[in-house]
Amino acid sequence: LTERGLHAFAYGVDVAEEASVRQMVDAVAERWGTVHVLVNNAGVFDRKDVTIDKVDFVMMEQTFAVNTLGPLRVTQALLPNLRASKRRTIVSISSQLGSIEKSDGRWYAYRASKAALNQINKILSVELAPEGFTCVVLHPGWVRTELGGKGATYSPEESVAGLIAVIEKLGPTD
C-alpha cells in the first residue's frame, strides 16, 4: 500500500460495543487524524440457522449487532474524521449472500444482516452525497478465511488486491 501512497491503519475493535468503537476513534485521531477511506469489514456467520426451526434469536441479534449495526456505528463515530478529508469514501464489506434476488434460502441471520447492511449503505449514499461522499458495498469474493473456509476461491491477498483496485477507482458517482 505504501508504494501507492496509501497508509492502512487496521485496528481491532468490537463494533458491537460503543466503548470499543470510541477507543478506536481516539486511536485513529491520535495516529492519523483524517480518515480518507473507511473500510467496514466486520462479520460473524453462524451457519446453524438453515431452517426456520433452527433460528436462534440471540445469535441473530448478535449477528445484526456486528454485521449491520457495527459498520453503521463505526461510520457514525468516524464521520467527523471523514468529513475532514477530500476523498470521503465509505466502503462496507457485504456478501453475495445478502442479495435478496439470488437467495436460495438458509442462514437467516447472516443473509438478513448483510441485506440490511446494503440498505444502510444506500441510505448513507443518498444522505451524504451532497457532501461529496462515495458510499459503496463491495463483495470480496469467497475468501479463504475462518469465515469463508479452506475451500474458498480466493486467498486473502487476492481478495484485498481486487478490493484495492476497485476502491482506488471510486468516485462520488459510484
Side-chain angles (χ1 to χ4, degrees):
L1 292 175
T2 53
E3 67 272 3
R4 293 182 175 146
L6 303 173
H7 301 280
F9 179 49
Y11 188 90
V13 60
D14 182 346
V15 298
E17 295 293 331
E18 183 68 30
S20 183
V21 171
R22 284 283 151 216
Q23 287 177 338
M24 179 268 306
V25 170
D26 291 344
V28 167
E30 182 180 315
R31 182 158 182 192
W32 299 107
T34 303
V35 175
H36 302 285
V37 178
L38 168 62
V39 178
N40 285 307
N41 186 26
V44 293
F45 186 0
D46 187 319
R47 291 171 171 81
K48 295 176 193 151
D49 59 343
V50 294
T51 66
I52 186 68
D53 298 327
K54 296 190 187 232
V55 171
D56 175 337
F57 288 94
V58 172
M59 184 269 299
M60 192 166 201
E61 288 173 358
Q62 181 61 28
T63 302
F64 268 82
V66 172
N67 295 3
T68 309
L69 300 177
L72 181 60
R73 180 177 287 112
V74 169
T75 299
Q76 182 185 57
L78 285 174
L79 204 51
N81 306 69
L82 287 155
R83 283 184 167 132
S85 169
K86 291 180 181 172
R87 183 85 193 267
R88 297 181 177 181
T89 301
I90 301 168
V91 176
S92 292
I93 303 300
S94 189
S95 170
Q96 62 186 350
L97 294 177
S99 169
I100 293 171
E101 177 185 351
K102 295 180 180 179
S103 180
D104 62 357
R106 303 173 298 162
W107 306 319
Y108 284 79
Y110 186 79
R111 287 179 187 272
S113 72
K114 290 300 185 174
L117 176 64
N118 296 344
Q119 182 59 254
I120 284 172
N121 179 78
K122 178 60 179 178
I123 295 166
L124 284 169
S125 73
V126 172
E127 179 182 349
L128 298 176
E131 296 181 54
F133 274 83
T134 302
C135 302
V136 299
V137 290
L138 295 178
H139 168 50
W142 186 23
V143 186
R144 289 186 297 274
T145 62
E146 187 177 320
L147 190 78
K150 295 177 183 175
T153 308
Y154 300 105
S155 71
E157 295 79 11
E158 291 168 319
S159 175
V160 168
L163 290 169
I164 289 172
V166 171
I167 292 168
E168 285 182 331
K169 295 176 186 171
L170 291 173
T173 60
D174 293 310

